[in-house]
Coordinates of all heavy atoms in Angstrom, one line a residue:
N111 N 6.6 14.3 19.7 CA 7.4 13.4 20.6 C 7.2 11.9 20.4 O 7.4 11.2 21.4 CB 7.0 13.7 22.1 CG 7.3 15.2 22.5 OD1 6.5 16.1 22.1 ND2 8.4 15.4 23.2
I112 N 6.7 11.6 19.2 CA 6.3 10.2 19.0 C 7.5 9.2 19.3 O 7.3 8.1 19.9 CB 5.8 10.0 17.6 CG1 4.6 10.9 17.4 CG2 5.4 8.5 17.3 CD1 4.0 10.9 16.0
K113 N 8.7 9.7 19.0 CA 9.8 8.8 19.2 C 10.0 8.4 20.7 O 10.6 7.4 21.0 CB 11.1 9.7 18.8 CG 12.2 8.8 18.3 CD 13.3 9.8 17.8 CE 14.3 9.0 17.0 NZ 15.1 9.8 16.2
E114 N 9.5 9.3 21.6 CA 9.7 9.0 23.0 C 8.6 8.1 23.6 O 8.7 7.8 24.8 CB 9.7 10.3 23.8 CG 11.0 11.1 23.5 CD 10.8 12.6 23.5 OE1 10.4 13.2 24.6 OE2 11.0 13.2 22.5
L115 N 7.7 7.6 22.8 CA 6.7 6.7 23.3 C 7.2 5.5 24.1 O 6.8 5.3 25.2 CB 5.8 6.1 22.1 CG 4.5 6.8 21.8 CD1 4.0 6.3 20.5 CD2 3.5 6.7 22.9
P116 N 8.2 4.7 23.5 CA 8.7 3.6 24.3 C 9.2 3.9 25.7 O 8.9 3.3 26.7 CB 9.8 3.0 23.4 CG 9.5 3.5 22.0 CD 8.9 4.8 22.2
S117 N 10.0 5.0 25.8 CA 10.6 5.3 27.1 C 9.5 5.9 28.0 O 9.6 5.6 29.2 CB 11.8 6.3 26.9 OG 11.3 7.5 26.3
L118 N 8.5 6.5 27.5 CA 7.5 7.1 28.3 C 6.6 5.9 28.9 O 6.3 5.9 30.1 CB 6.6 7.9 27.4 CG 5.8 9.1 28.0 CD1 6.8 10.1 28.5 CD2 4.9 9.7 27.0
I119 N 6.3 4.9 28.1 CA 5.6 3.8 28.6 C 6.4 3.0 29.6 O 5.9 2.6 30.7 CB 5.1 2.9 27.4 CG1 4.2 3.7 26.5 CG2 4.4 1.6 27.9 CD1 3.8 2.9 25.2
E120 N 7.7 2.9 29.3 CA 8.6 2.2 30.3 C 8.5 2.9 31.6 O 8.5 2.3 32.7 CB 10.0 2.2 29.6 CG 11.0 1.3 30.4 CD 11.8 2.1 31.4 OE1 11.9 3.3 31.2 OE2 12.2 1.5 32.4
E121 N 8.5 4.3 31.6 CA 8.5 5.0 32.8 C 7.2 4.8 33.6 O 7.2 4.6 34.8 CB 8.6 6.5 32.5 CG 8.9 7.4 33.7 CD 9.0 8.9 33.3 OE1 9.3 9.2 32.1 OE2 8.7 9.7 34.2
V122 N 6.1 4.7 32.8 CA 4.8 4.4 33.5 C 4.9 3.0 34.2 O 4.5 2.8 35.3 CB 3.6 4.4 32.5 CG1 2.3 4.1 33.3 CG2 3.5 5.8 31.9
L123 N 5.4 2.0 33.4 CA 5.5 0.7 34.0 C 6.3 0.6 35.2 O 6.0 -0.1 36.2 CB 6.2 -0.3 32.9 CG 5.3 -0.7 31.7 CD1 6.2 -1.3 30.6 CD2 4.2 -1.7 32.1
R124 N 7.4 1.5 35.3 CA 8.3 1.5 36.4 C 7.8 2.3 37.6 O 7.8 1.8 38.7 CB 9.6 2.1 35.9 CG 10.8 1.8 36.7 CD 12.1 2.1 36.0 NE 12.1 3.2 35.0 CZ 12.1 4.5 35.2 NH1 12.3 4.9 36.4 NH2 12.1 5.4 34.2
T125 N 7.1 3.4 37.3 CA 6.8 4.3 38.4 C 5.3 4.3 38.7 O 4.9 4.8 39.8 CB 7.1 5.8 38.0 OG1 6.3 6.2 36.9 CG2 8.6 5.9 37.7
R126 N 4.4 3.9 37.7 CA 3.0 3.9 37.9 C 2.5 5.3 38.2 O 1.5 5.6 38.9 CB 2.5 3.0 39.0 CG 2.7 1.5 38.6 CD 1.5 1.1 37.6 NE 2.0 0.0 36.7 CZ 1.2 -0.5 35.8 NH1 -0.1 -0.1 35.6 NH2 1.6 -1.5 35.0
K127 N 3.2 6.3 37.6 CA 2.8 7.7 37.7 C 2.3 8.2 36.4 O 2.7 7.7 35.3 CB 4.0 8.6 38.1 CG 4.4 8.4 39.6 CD 5.1 9.7 40.1 CE 5.4 9.6 41.5 NZ 6.8 9.3 41.8
Q128 N 1.4 9.3 36.4 CA 1.0 9.9 35.1 C 2.1 10.7 34.5 O 2.7 11.5 35.2 CB -0.2 10.8 35.4 CG -1.5 10.1 35.7 CD -2.6 11.0 35.9 OE1 -2.5 12.0 36.6 NE2 -3.8 10.7 35.3
V129 N 2.5 10.4 33.3 CA 3.6 11.1 32.6 C 3.2 11.6 31.3 O 2.4 11.0 30.5 CB 4.9 10.3 32.5 CG1 5.5 10.0 33.8 CG2 4.6 9.0 31.8
A130 N 3.8 12.8 30.9 CA 3.5 13.4 29.6 C 4.8 14.0 29.0 O 5.6 14.5 29.7 CB 2.5 14.5 29.8
Q131 N 4.9 13.9 27.7 CA 5.9 14.6 26.9 C 5.2 15.3 25.8 O 4.7 14.8 24.9 CB 6.8 13.5 26.2 CG 7.8 12.8 27.1 CD 9.0 13.7 27.5 OE1 9.1 14.8 26.9 NE2 9.8 13.3 28.4
I132 N 5.2 16.7 26.0 CA 4.5 17.5 25.0 C 5.4 18.6 24.6 O 5.4 19.7 25.3 CB 3.1 18.0 25.5 CG1 2.3 16.8 26.1 CG2 2.3 18.6 24.3 CD1 1.1 17.2 26.8
K133 N 6.1 18.5 23.5 CA 7.1 19.5 23.1 C 6.3 20.7 22.5 O 5.3 20.4 21.8 CB 8.1 18.9 22.1 CG 9.5 19.1 22.5 CD 10.4 19.1 21.3 CE 10.8 17.8 20.8 NZ 11.7 17.7 19.8
R134 N 6.7 21.9 22.6 CA 6.0 23.0 22.1 C 6.6 23.5 20.7 O 5.9 24.2 20.0 CB 5.9 24.2 23.0 CG 4.7 24.2 23.9 CD 4.8 23.3 25.1 NE 3.6 23.3 25.9 CZ 3.3 22.4 26.8 NH1 4.2 21.4 27.0 NH2 2.2 22.4 27.5
D135 N 7.8 23.1 20.4 CA 8.4 23.7 19.2 C 9.0 22.5 18.3 O 8.9 21.4 18.7 CB 9.5 24.7 19.5 CG 10.5 24.1 20.5 OD1 10.4 23.0 20.8 OD2 11.5 24.8 20.8
G136 N 9.5 22.9 17.2 CA 10.0 21.9 16.2 C 8.9 21.5 15.3 O 7.8 22.0 15.3
I137 N 9.2 20.4 14.6 CA 8.3 19.9 13.6 C 7.8 18.6 14.0 O 8.5 17.8 14.5 CB 8.9 19.9 12.1 CG1 7.9 19.6 11.1 CG2 10.1 19.0 12.0 CD1 8.3 20.0 9.7
S138 N 6.5 18.3 13.7 CA 5.9 17.0 14.2 C 6.0 16.0 13.1 O 5.2 15.0 13.1 CB 4.5 17.3 14.6 OG 3.7 17.7 13.5
I139 N 6.9 16.2 12.1 CA 7.0 15.1 11.1 C 8.3 14.3 11.3 O 9.4 14.9 11.5 CB 7.1 15.8 9.7 CG1 5.8 16.5 9.4 CG2 7.4 14.7 8.6 CD1 5.7 17.2 8.1
E140 N 8.1 13.0 11.3 CA 9.2 12.1 11.6 C 9.4 11.2 10.4 O 8.4 10.5 10.1 CB 8.9 11.3 12.8 CG 10.0 10.5 13.4 CD 10.9 11.2 14.3 OE1 10.5 11.9 15.3 OE2 12.1 11.2 14.0
Y141 N 10.5 11.3 9.7 CA 10.8 10.3 8.6 C 11.6 9.2 9.2 O 12.7 9.5 9.8 CB 11.5 10.9 7.4 CG 10.7 11.9 6.6 CD1 11.4 12.8 5.8 CD2 9.4 12.0 6.6 CE1 10.7 13.7 5.0 CE2 8.7 12.9 5.9 CZ 9.4 13.8 5.1 OH 8.7 14.7 4.3
T142 N 11.2 7.9 9.1 CA 12.0 6.9 9.7 C 11.8 5.6 8.9 O 10.6 5.3 8.5 CB 11.6 6.6 11.2 OG1 12.2 5.4 11.6 CG2 10.1 6.5 11.4
D143 N 12.9 4.8 8.7 CA 12.7 3.5 8.0 C 12.1 2.5 8.9 O 11.9 1.3 8.5 CB 14.0 3.1 7.3 CG 15.1 3.0 8.2 OD1 14.9 3.2 9.5 OD2 16.3 2.8 7.7
L144 N 11.9 2.8 10.2 CA 11.2 1.9 11.1 C 9.7 1.8 10.9 O 9.0 1.0 11.4 CB 11.5 2.3 12.6 CG 12.9 2.2 13.1 CD1 13.0 2.7 14.5 CD2 13.4 0.7 13.0
I145 N 9.2 2.8 10.2 CA 7.7 2.9 10.0 C 7.1 1.6 9.5 O 7.7 0.9 8.7 CB 7.4 4.1 9.0 CG1 5.9 4.4 9.0 CG2 7.9 3.8 7.6 CD1 5.5 5.7 8.3
K146 N 5.9 1.3 10.1 CA 5.2 0.1 9.7 C 4.0 0.4 8.8 O 2.9 0.8 9.4 CB 4.8 -0.7 11.0 CG 5.9 -1.4 11.6 CD 6.2 -2.7 10.9 CE 7.7 -3.1 10.9 NZ 8.2 -3.4 12.2
R147 N 4.2 0.4 7.5 CA 3.1 0.7 6.6 C 2.2 -0.5 6.5 O 2.7 -1.6 6.6 CB 3.6 1.1 5.2 CG 4.2 2.6 5.2 CD 4.6 3.0 3.9 NE 5.9 2.3 3.5 CZ 6.0 1.4 2.6 NH1 5.0 0.9 2.0 NH2 7.2 0.8 2.4
D148 N 0.9 -0.3 6.2 CA 0.1 -1.5 6.0 C -0.2 -1.8 4.5 O -0.9 -2.7 4.2 CB -1.2 -1.5 6.8 CG -1.8 -0.1 7.0 OD1 -1.4 0.8 6.2 OD2 -2.6 0.2 7.9
N149 N 0.4 -1.0 3.6 CA 0.3 -1.3 2.2 C 1.6 -1.2 1.5 O 2.4 -0.2 1.7 CB -0.7 -0.2 1.6 CG -1.0 -0.4 0.2 OD1 -0.2 -0.8 -0.6 ND2 -2.3 -0.2 -0.2
A150 N 2.0 -2.3 0.8 CA 3.3 -2.3 0.2 C 3.5 -1.3 -0.9 O 4.7 -0.9 -1.2 CB 3.6 -3.7 -0.3
F151 N 2.5 -0.9 -1.5 CA 2.6 -0.1 -2.7 C 2.2 1.4 -2.5 O 2.5 2.2 -3.4 CB 1.7 -0.6 -3.9 CG 2.1 -2.1 -4.2 CD1 1.2 -3.1 -3.9 CD2 3.3 -2.4 -4.7 CE1 1.5 -4.4 -4.1 CE2 3.6 -3.7 -5.0 CZ 2.7 -4.7 -4.7
H152 N 1.5 1.7 -1.4 CA 1.1 3.1 -1.2 C 1.7 3.6 0.1 O 1.8 2.8 1.1 CB -0.4 3.2 -1.1 CG -0.8 4.6 -0.7 ND1 -1.2 4.9 0.6 CD2 -0.9 5.7 -1.4 CE1 -1.5 6.2 0.7 NE2 -1.3 6.7 -0.5
A153 N 2.2 4.8 0.1 CA 2.7 5.4 1.4 C 2.2 6.8 1.6 O 2.0 7.6 0.6 CB 4.2 5.4 1.4
W154 N 1.9 7.2 2.8 CA 1.7 8.6 3.2 C 3.0 9.3 3.3 O 3.9 8.7 3.9 CB 0.9 8.7 4.5 CG -0.3 7.9 4.6 CD1 -0.5 6.8 5.5 CD2 -1.6 8.1 3.9 NE1 -1.8 6.3 5.3 CE2 -2.5 7.1 4.4 CE3 -2.0 9.0 3.0 CZ2 -3.8 7.0 3.9 CZ3 -3.3 8.9 2.5 CH2 -4.2 7.9 3.0
L155 N 3.1 10.5 2.9 CA 4.3 11.3 3.1 C 4.0 12.7 3.5 O 3.7 13.6 2.7 CB 5.2 11.2 1.8 CG 6.5 12.0 1.9 CD1 7.4 11.5 3.0 CD2 7.3 11.8 0.5

Side-chain angles (χ1 to χ4, degrees):
N111 299 79
I112 299 177
K113 209 176 193 160
E114 286 145 65
L115 263 171
S117 58
L118 210 64
I119 298 174
E120 189 268 334
E121 194 181 333
V122 179
L123 287 165
R124 202 164 26 83
T125 64
R126 289 283 153 178
K127 287 205 174 105
Q128 289 183 312
V129 290
Q131 284 285 350
I132 312 168
K133 236 206 279 186
R134 265 82 183 166
D135 54 0
I137 186 161
S138 63
I139 295 176
E140 188 84 55
Y141 291 163
T142 168
D143 54 8
L144 294 175
I145 191 166
K146 282 287 149 59
R147 284 183 286 106
D148 33 18
N149 185 319
F151 304 111
H152 173 262
W154 307 113
L155 180 55

